[in-house]
Amino acid sequence: MAVSGRGPYDPQNVFAKILRGEIPCRKVYENEYALAFHDIAPQAPVHVLVIPKGPYVSYADFSQTAADPEIAGFTRAVGHVAALLGLEENGYRLLANMGVAAGQEVPHFHVHLFGGAALGPMLHRS
Ligand code: AMP
């Protein structure tokens, strides 16, 4: 079910559990500010999630309340992961769902990184 993207932060959300090592993930990269792992239900040949280590509900929360070094460290980690996965030559897509209209399901800010194929139109049109 989609979530609002607003606080309070729920420390029992699935990505908080992954960060604490309570449930496994297929890790791609980790540094001081970010963890990247494969999405459990991939929607492209490469579908990786990059999450900040801090407790941010959504992009709104992260962009408004994270410290500058966290924002810089996280942003650089996303780019680093894309390069690490060899996606720079053919290109990739970043996506962050915030709130109900976007269909955000997990209330811990995350960026989807898609690649490995031509990705089609940017948005589904009904
Ligand atoms: P969103 O709709 O933007 O909140 O995306 C949440 C994403 O998290 C979905 O693509 C799910 O497939 C993914 N997901 C949920 N649980 C897990 C998990 N345990 N490990 C990896 N990815 C997950």
Side-chain angles (χ1 to χ4, degrees):
M1 200 178 93
V3 297
S4 74
R6 301 197 175 273
Y9 183 80
D10 172 11
Q12 295 309 317
N13 79 76
V14 65
F15 294 170
K17 290 179 179 175
I18 287 175
L19 280 170
R20 291 194 297 266
E22 293 169 8
I23 60 174
C25 71
R26 287 177 55 216
K27 185 160 79 175
V28 172
Y29 176 76
E30 180 172 15
N31 72 6
E32 180 183 352
Y33 299 105
L35 174 68
F37 53 92
H38 291 279
D39 195 289
I40 204 166
Q43 297 189 39
V46 177
H47 184 176
V48 163
L49 301 170
V50 191
I51 69 174
K53 288 196 167 171
Y56 304 104
V57 174
S58 65
Y59 184 79
D61 187 17
F62 182 70
S63 62
Q64 289 161 24
T65 66
D68 289 357
E70 289 178 276
I71 294 173
F74 176 78
T75 303
R76 290 211 170 91
V78 174
H80 181 72
V81 170
L84 197 66
L85 293 168
L87 299 177
E88 286 192 343
E89 186 174 343
N90 289 326
Y92 58 85
R93 179 172 295 155
L94 302 177
L95 181 149
N97 291 315
M98 188 283 168
V100 175
Q104 182 180 354
E105 290 180 352
V106 177
H108 182 112
F109 172 49
H110 49 283
V111 169
H112 297 257
L113 171 57
F114 299 103
L119 295 168
M122 189 160 59
L123 288 178
H124 171 72
R125 297 178 212 289
S126 52

